[in-house]
């Protein structure tokens, strides 16, 4: 496969939690900021990242991987082009999408790209495909554990096996709800100021920090929150300066990812079909109708990615769980040891794909859009 490094594209990944953007010729995104915005109460101007003020209502643009505020997304892109100091009419635009995105949304994304920003070339890339190509693994079982969703995607020779592609809401944000319940017994968050939505935004930042610095995954299942065991305590300092000691909750607070039904939350209804991480993977494999060799290839090439996959011990636990159920298979996983690259895997892979000649037929030119409109979008972005 040849590449064209002289062609530079702008690559944007609008995740549910984080927006990443930069040039395809870069190894990492140069812009990383929350996928949230506020509006100035006086001018209604959209504000992003450091410009978000505590007296403003704060909203998100993407929910569980799907855009639902198009005006805000347009302003998000405008901010990106401004910060990158480029004219959108001069650079191809590459964006990423989740598998469950729909035709209507792809048409809207194309409309914004061509009609609002007048980009010369545009494409939408599937996130799991981007991940695999970024790692140079065209056959893999991609397990992406992000903030608002966990997705399982089997890919063979660069082709997604949609029959076995599944996703769930039990991911980082779900763990945050459990962490919030625990921390509310320790602190009232009275030090967080601003509008209710801004306080929610700030508290979520605290929860994410707590999760990344305190939480780890047990080597074995803990299906009962009242399980009696001891673990060395850790200290966590809250933004108000108060320190709290955390004992066995260090690992208990990760268990809802594997056993959501065993760790119920007040006001959160779960169905009997609510599958934890290991069960979700097994259900994805069960849906496939493939040969034993393909099962073997997938289970030998498990790719673990996404921000929540960075929890210490998660990979070992996952392999241990799968090995107990799939005793006739050799389970091997790959988690990029470079945590920064793993956290940015979708964006990095999209940049790799953007420079590959073999993906040129996935692009739409401005002229093609003007001539064929909806039909060419539906044809290219299936």
């Amino acid at each position: 496969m040849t590449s064209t490094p002289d062609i530079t594209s702008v690559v944007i990944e609008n995740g549910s939690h984080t927006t990443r953007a930069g040039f395809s010729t870069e190894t990492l995104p140069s812009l990383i900021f929350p996928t949230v915005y506020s509006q100035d109460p006086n001018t209604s101007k959209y504000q992003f990242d450091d410009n978000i003020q505590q007296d403003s209502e704060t909203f998100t643009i993407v929910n569980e991987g799907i855009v639902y505020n198009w005006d805000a997304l347009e302003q998000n892109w405008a901010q990106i082009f401004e910060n990158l100091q480029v004219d959108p009419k001069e650079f191809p635009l590459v964006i990423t999408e989740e598998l469950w995105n729909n035709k209507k949304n792809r048409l809207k994304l194309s409309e914004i790209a061509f009609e609002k920003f007048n980009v010369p070339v545009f494409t939408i890339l599937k996130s799991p495909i981007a991940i695999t190509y970024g790692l140079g693994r065209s056959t893999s079982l991609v397990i992406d554990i992000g903030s608002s969703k966990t997705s399982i995607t089997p890919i063979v020779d660069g082709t997604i096996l949609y029959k076995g592609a599944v996703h769930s809401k039990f991911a980082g944000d779900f763990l945050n709800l459990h962490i919030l319940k625990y921390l509310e017994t320790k602190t009232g968050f009275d030090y967080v100021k601003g509008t209710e939505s801004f306080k929610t935004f700030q508290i979520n930042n605290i929860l994410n920090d707590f999760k990344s610095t305190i939480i780890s995954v047990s080597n074995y299942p803990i299906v009962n929150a009242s399980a009696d065991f001891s673990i060395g305590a850790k200290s966590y300092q809250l933004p108000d300066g108060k320190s709290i000691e955390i004992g066995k909750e260090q690992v208990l607070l990760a268990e809802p990812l594997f056993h959501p039904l065993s760790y119920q939350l007040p006001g959160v209804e779960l169905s009997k079909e609510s599958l934890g991480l290991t069960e979700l993977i097994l259900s994805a494999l069960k849906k496939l109708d493939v040969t034993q060799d393909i099962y073997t290839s997938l289970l030998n090439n498990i790719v673990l990615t996404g921000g929540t996959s960075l929890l210490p011990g998660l990979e070992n636990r996952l392999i241990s769980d799968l090995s107990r159920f799939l005793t006739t298979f050799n389970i091997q996983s790959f988690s990029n040891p470079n945590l920064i690259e793993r956290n940015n895997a979708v964006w990095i892979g999209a940049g790799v794909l953007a420079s590959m000649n073999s993906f040129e037929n996935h692009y739409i030119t401005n002229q093609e859009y003007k001539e064929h409109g909806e039909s060419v979008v539906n044809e290219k972005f299936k």
Side-chain angles (χ1 to χ4, degrees):
M1 292 180 289
T2 59
S3 63
T4 53
D6 54 317
I7 298 177
T8 301
S9 302
V10 171
V11 180
I12 300 176
E13 176 200 353
N14 290 118
S16 295
H17 179 267
T18 304
T19 288
R20 298 174 175 87
F23 297 109
S24 59
T25 49
E26 298 174 323
T27 56
L28 290 171
S30 53
L31 301 176
I32 302 177
F33 58 95
T35 309
V36 298
Y37 70 95
S38 64
Q39 285 185 281
D40 187 295
N42 299 314
T43 66
S44 295
K45 181 180 179 181
Y46 289 85
Q47 299 167 314
F48 299 93
D49 202 9
D50 293 337
N51 293 322
I52 294 176
Q53 303 298 318
Q54 68 178 32
D55 60 346
S56 302
E57 295 296 337
T58 305
F59 310 93
T60 188
I61 301 171
V62 179
N63 184 35
E64 296 186 6
I66 301 296
V67 176
Y68 70 93
N69 189 317
W70 295 102
D71 289 340
L73 180 76
E74 182 182 333
Q75 293 302 314
N76 174 284
W77 289 6
Q79 168 109 348
I80 288 169
F81 285 118
E82 180 181 342
N83 287 350
L84 292 177
Q85 298 181 338
V86 296
D87 185 342
K89 296 191 291 293
E90 297 178 357
F91 286 83
L93 175 61
V94 176
I95 68 167
T96 62
E97 68 169 358
E98 299 294 355
L99 293 190
W100 52 93
N101 198 21
N102 55 56
K103 182 186 296 185
K104 181 180 177 181
N105 280 9
R106 294 187 195 103
L107 290 172
K108 185 64 178 178
L109 290 165
S110 302
E111 175 189 319
I112 293 174
F114 287 118
E115 298 182 19
K116 299 295 184 179
F117 292 98
N118 201 25
V119 301
V121 178
F122 177 64
T123 193
I124 305 173
L125 301 177
K126 307 290 186 189
S127 294
I129 289 290
I131 291 168
T132 58
Y133 274 83
L135 295 172
R137 293 170 176 260
S138 59
T139 293
S140 54
L141 184 66
V142 179
I143 302 172
D144 187 359
I145 314 172
S147 59
S148 66
K149 52 75 189 170
T150 290
S151 64
I152 315 298
T153 311
I155 300 174
V156 176
D157 294 332
T159 300
I160 296 171
L161 304 185
Y162 281 92
K163 194 172 182 180
V166 297
H167 66 278
S168 82
K169 63 182 179 181
F170 303 121
D173 290 346
F174 182 66
L175 292 187
N176 282 2
L177 293 176
H178 289 270
I179 295 170
L180 176 62
K181 178 187 174 185
Y182 168 72
L183 287 182
E184 282 178 338
T185 67
K186 303 285 187 178
T187 176
F189 291 107
D190 295 333
Y191 50 86
V192 181
K193 307 299 181 183
T195 64
E196 285 304 312
S197 59
F198 181 81
K199 286 193 288 187
T200 299
F201 170 61
Q202 288 293 78
I203 289 173
N204 198 53
N205 288 337
I206 296 170
L207 300 177
N208 284 329
D209 181 69
F210 182 95
K211 182 171 58 186
S212 65
T213 57
I214 297 296
I215 303 301
S216 60
V217 178
S218 168
N219 290 327
Y220 54 87
I222 308 174
V223 295
N224 190 331
S226 61
D228 186 22
F229 62 94
S230 61
I231 187 172
K234 283 186 178 180
S235 178
Y236 182 76
Q237 186 174 39
L238 295 160
D240 65 349
K242 179 182 177 182
S243 290
I244 55 175
E245 295 293 312
I246 304 96
K248 65 180 184 179
E249 288 80 9
Q250 295 170 47
V251 293
L252 282 179
L253 289 170
E255 283 302 304
L257 193 64
F258 293 87
H259 303 287
L261 288 174
S262 298
Y263 292 82
Q264 297 282 350
L265 283 169
V268 179
E269 293 187 11
L270 303 179
S271 69
K272 292 181 179 179
E273 290 73 37
S274 298
L275 302 180
L277 178 58
T278 305
E279 295 171 314
L280 188 68
I281 297 168
L282 294 173
S283 74
L285 293 170
K286 189 175 181 180
K287 293 175 187 290
L288 292 175
D289 183 18
V290 295
T291 66
Q292 188 86 347
D293 286 345
I294 292 179
Y295 277 119
T296 299
S297 294
L298 291 172
L299 291 169
N300 277 334
N301 291 279
I302 292 177
V303 170
L304 195 58
T305 190
T308 306
S309 78
L310 304 179
L311 289 177
L314 191 146
E315 183 176 13
N316 289 339
R317 166 67 175 279
L318 186 59
I319 299 307
S320 174
D321 278 5
L322 290 175
S323 296
R324 286 190 295 109
F325 290 101
L326 303 171
T327 56
T328 61
F329 291 93
N330 180 31
I331 315 293
Q332 293 188 25
S333 66
F334 174 79
S335 298
N336 193 328
N338 185 318
L339 301 187
I340 294 176
E341 289 183 1
R342 196 198 310 180
N343 206 25
N344 293 282
V346 173
W347 187 93
I348 292 171
V352 170
L353 288 173
S355 61
M356 292 175 61
N357 289 337
S358 57
F359 273 79
E360 285 183 353
N361 62 334
H362 290 264
Y363 288 76
I364 298 175
T365 66
N366 196 300
Q367 183 178 349
E368 286 177 316
Y369 180 81
K370 288 177 179 177
E371 291 179 0
H372 305 288
E374 181 177 330
S375 63
V376 72
V377 174
N378 291 334
E379 177 187 349
K380 290 291 182 78
F381 306 147
K382 295 179 181 178

